[in-house]
């Protein structure tokens, strides 16, 4: 699931369904008693989170007749998350279970750990079933694990087979993946090949910012170091990602679009670009925006390097009245079988590696994308993601690098250095306040 700032616009988009209406953060005023002797567990989420829509709450209540589950949702994470921090600070107004987006989990783990249950010790939680890097994202220096992963955003590259064919490039997904296997610079080189014979009015990639985000999501380090210090200005990985993305812009390989805008959506409808970095949750978005005309023309190949873009967690506040029951529910909702069911029904890719062997995942194909074996492609990507250092302000840094600095380079022709300076100024400003 994704959120609605650059790394965060990624949860409501997950399946492109109607957004839930805004609600209270977490069922304030409920007394935890249904009135008939059953225990009421409240869950606070943002957007169309998927657990309710996939029928998992109903299934749990059928298995546990003494439990009633009630969910409230706030449509956008940027409205939901500040309220969550406020309620954690006061110890009131919280649901028994709260959702946390990946862009916020480092801050929650670093600053709110004492207000959350250590789910690493909770009944029914099996650490070994989760991807190591996903588990690490919600585990603090003290060893306490405050969140259980619901989903991840392993990345691939979605591409238009018809445009590749017209440009003289291979179209089979295995052959396409080999064009750039192991190195983002090969992706750039492929873009130059494409552009040499590109169909009129098309570009190789949607945006330089998209390349920047994809590259930075595939490295072990980027914005913070092991000691929790902000190091993006001197990080070789960040600078390498920046320079490569800027080369896409300078070479005229991008459609100069900003992601998650009406113009970007129209770019899909008009077949304006041949490739886009796409985590698993973006498949539904592409299908919706490209429409029937894109069916069978879009396909999915492995990304140059495995990376992650998006994902969420469930946490259990210490202030809850029913912590044991809530932790048990959180463990069940994030167990392999439920994650596989959520993927089958909603497209949320499992954070549980144990789910990858289940038929709902291992055998998954996508008819819109030419029958692409998306279960296999995204499982391999997820298994290859490195354990990445995640910092509390990752979201702010990534958003400003992409939407302030790189956007100027891509759309206005600003020099790479001037774009970098603009991003740094915006980030410094944001981190100082």
């Amino acid at each position: 699931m994704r959120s609605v700032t650059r790394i965060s616009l990624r949860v409501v988009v997950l399946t492109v369904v109607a957004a839930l209406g805004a609600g209270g953060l977490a069922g304030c005023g409920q007394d935890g008693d249904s009135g008939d002797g059953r225990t009421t567990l409240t869950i606070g989420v943002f957007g169309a989170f998927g657990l309710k829509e996939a029928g998992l709450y109903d299934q749990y209540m059928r298995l546990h007749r003494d439990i009633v589950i009630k969910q409230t949702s706030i449509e956008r994470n940027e409205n939901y998350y500040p309220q969550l921090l406020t309620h954690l600070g006061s110890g009131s107004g919280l649901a028994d279970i709260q959702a946390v987006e990946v862009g916020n989990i480092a801050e929650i783990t670093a600053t709110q750990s004492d207000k959350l249950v250590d789910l690493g010790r909770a009944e029914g939680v099996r650490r070994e079933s989760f991807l190591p890097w996903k588990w690490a994202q919600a585990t603090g220096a003290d060893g306490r694990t405050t969140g259980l992963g619901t989903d991840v955003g392993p990345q691939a590259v979605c591409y238009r087979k018809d445009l590749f064919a017209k440009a003289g490039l291979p179209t089979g997904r295995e052959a396409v993946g080999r064009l750039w296997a192991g190195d983002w610079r090969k992706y750039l080189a492929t873009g130059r090949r494409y552009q040499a014979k590109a169909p009129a009015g098309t570009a190789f990639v949607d945006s330089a910012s998209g390349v920047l985000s994809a590259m930075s999501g595939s490295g072990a380090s980027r914005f913070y170091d092991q000691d929790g210090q902000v190091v993006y200005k001197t990080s070789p990985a960040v600078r390498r990602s920046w320079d490569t993305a800027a080369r896409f812009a300078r070479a005229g390989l991008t459609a100069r679009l900003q992601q998650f805008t009406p113009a970007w959506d129209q770019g899909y409808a008009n077949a304006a670009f041949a490739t886009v970095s796409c985590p698993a949750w973006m498949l539904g978005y592409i299908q919706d925006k490209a429409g029937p005309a894109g069916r069978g023309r879009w396909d999915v190949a492995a990304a140059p390097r495995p990376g992650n873009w998006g994902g969420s967690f469930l946490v259990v506040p210490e202030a809850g009245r029913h912590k044991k029951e809530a932790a048990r529910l959180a463990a069940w909702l994030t167990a392999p079988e439920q994650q596989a069911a959520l993927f089958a029904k909603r497209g949320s890719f499992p954070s549980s590696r144990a789910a990858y062997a289940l038929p709902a995942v291992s055998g998954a194909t996508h008819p819109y994308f030419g029958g692409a074996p998306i279960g296999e492609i995204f499982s391999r990507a997820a298994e290859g993601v490195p354990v990445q250092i995640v910092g509390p302000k990752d979201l702010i840094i990534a958003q400003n690098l992409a939407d302030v600095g790189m956007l100027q380079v891509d759309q206005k022709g600003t020099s790479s250095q001037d774009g970098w300076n603009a991003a740094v100024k915006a980030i410094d400003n944001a981190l100082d306040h």
Side-chain angles (χ1 to χ4, degrees):
M1 300 167 193
R2 58 145 226 7
S3 52
V4 189
T5 52
R6 172 151 213 85
I7 284 184
S8 263
L9 180 49
R10 324 235 197 219
V11 178
V12 183
V13 167
L14 170 100
T15 50
V16 195
V17 295
L20 298 179
L25 177 62
C28 304
Q30 293 184 1
D31 60 7
D33 189 339
S34 66
D36 57 5
R38 295 182 295 169
T39 298
T40 297
L41 296 179
T42 56
I43 301 179
V45 305
F46 49 92
F49 205 76
L51 300 174
K52 179 180 179 180
E53 294 84 349
L56 295 182
Y57 298 160
D58 289 339
Q59 183 181 348
Y60 191 82
M61 288 188 286
R62 286 194 297 270
L63 295 172
H64 302 84
R65 297 291 183 178
D66 59 330
I67 297 293
V68 175
I69 300 172
K70 295 184 178 181
Q71 175 183 287
T72 57
S73 176
I74 292 177
E75 184 174 344
R76 298 167 70 90
N77 184 53
E78 54 261 52
N79 297 327
Y80 167 90
Y81 181 63
Q83 292 187 41
L84 174 60
L85 289 179
T86 298
H87 288 296
L88 283 171
S90 67
S92 63
L94 291 156
D96 294 298
I97 296 174
Q98 296 279 174
V100 177
E101 203 268 343
V102 65
N104 305 123
I105 194 63
E107 182 173 28
I108 287 287
T109 300
T111 66
Q112 308 293 328
S113 177
D114 60 327
K115 299 180 179 69
L116 300 170
V117 172
D118 181 359
L119 294 176
R121 300 176 180 272
E123 178 185 346
V125 175
R126 302 192 303 274
R127 173 177 178 170
E128 65 278 5
S129 74
F130 289 89
L131 292 159
W133 58 267
K134 183 69 171 183
W135 185 271
Q137 286 178 335
T139 301
D142 58 1
R144 298 180 78 254
T145 301
T146 55
L148 297 178
T150 56
D151 65 306
V152 290
Q155 294 197 90
V157 171
C158 292
Y159 67 100
R160 292 272 311 209
K161 291 185 289 189
D162 56 333
L163 298 184
F164 266 46
K166 291 176 182 178
L169 295 174
T171 59
R173 63 184 68 98
E174 295 295 331
V176 169
R178 286 193 295 270
L179 290 173
W180 49 65
D183 193 337
W184 286 97
R185 290 173 298 182
K186 293 180 181 178
Y187 188 50
L188 175 63
T190 304
R192 295 182 188 280
R193 286 180 59 189
Y194 175 87
Q195 215 63 31
K197 297 182 180 180
T202 72
F204 178 64
V205 69
D206 64 320
S207 66
S209 293
V211 174
L212 173 64
S213 298
M215 283 191 68
S216 63
S218 64
S221 62
R222 51 177 188 170
F223 305 144
Y224 285 77
D225 65 15
Q226 291 283 5
D227 298 323
Q229 300 300 307
V230 176
V231 295
Y232 78 93
K233 295 177 187 177
T234 58
S235 167
V238 171
R239 198 65 208 214
R240 188 161 50 247
S241 299
W242 177 273
D243 290 343
T244 302
R247 289 190 183 100
F248 273 83
R250 285 201 305 272
L253 304 183
T254 84
R256 297 187 297 173
L257 298 169
Q258 183 175 10
Q259 294 186 327
F260 303 104
T261 63
W264 191 60
D265 294 346
Q266 194 61 41
Y268 284 110
N270 295 338
F273 49 88
T275 72
V276 63
S277 296
C278 61
W281 52 259
M282 197 186 283
L283 299 183
Y285 191 94
I286 294 173
Q287 181 175 346
D288 179 67
K289 301 306 178 184
R295 185 182 182 90
R297 291 183 171 88
W298 280 99
D299 210 322
V300 187
R305 297 185 64 82
N308 183 70
W309 178 4
S312 299
F313 297 81
L314 299 178
V315 302
V316 175
E318 284 280 4
R321 289 186 59 192
H322 304 291
K323 293 185 290 185
K324 184 176 180 179
E325 293 87 349
R328 189 180 297 128
L329 172 57
W332 185 86
L333 288 170
T334 57
E337 296 77 13
Q338 281 64 255
Q339 291 204 29
L342 185 62
F343 170 64
K345 295 177 181 179
R346 301 286 298 175
S348 303
F349 204 79
S351 66
S352 169
R353 58 181 175 181
Y356 299 164
L358 300 178
V361 181
S362 64
T365 60
H366 203 304
Y368 186 88
F369 291 84
I374 58 172
E376 295 178 16
I377 291 170
F378 289 112
S379 292
R380 286 198 301 268
E383 293 275 14
V385 174
V387 176
Q388 189 172 70
I389 301 170
V390 180
K393 302 301 181 183
D394 270 11
L395 196 61
I396 291 173
I397 297 170
Q399 181 179 0
N400 282 288
L401 284 173
D403 288 344
V404 174
M406 190 53 66
L407 192 64
Q408 292 184 20
V409 175
D410 200 13
Q411 292 191 349
K412 298 180 180 180
T414 303
S415 72
S416 176
Q417 189 58 52
D418 285 347
W420 174 264
N421 292 341
V424 168
K425 182 178 180 180
I427 293 166
D428 286 349
N429 226 16
L431 296 184
D432 287 342
H433 290 83

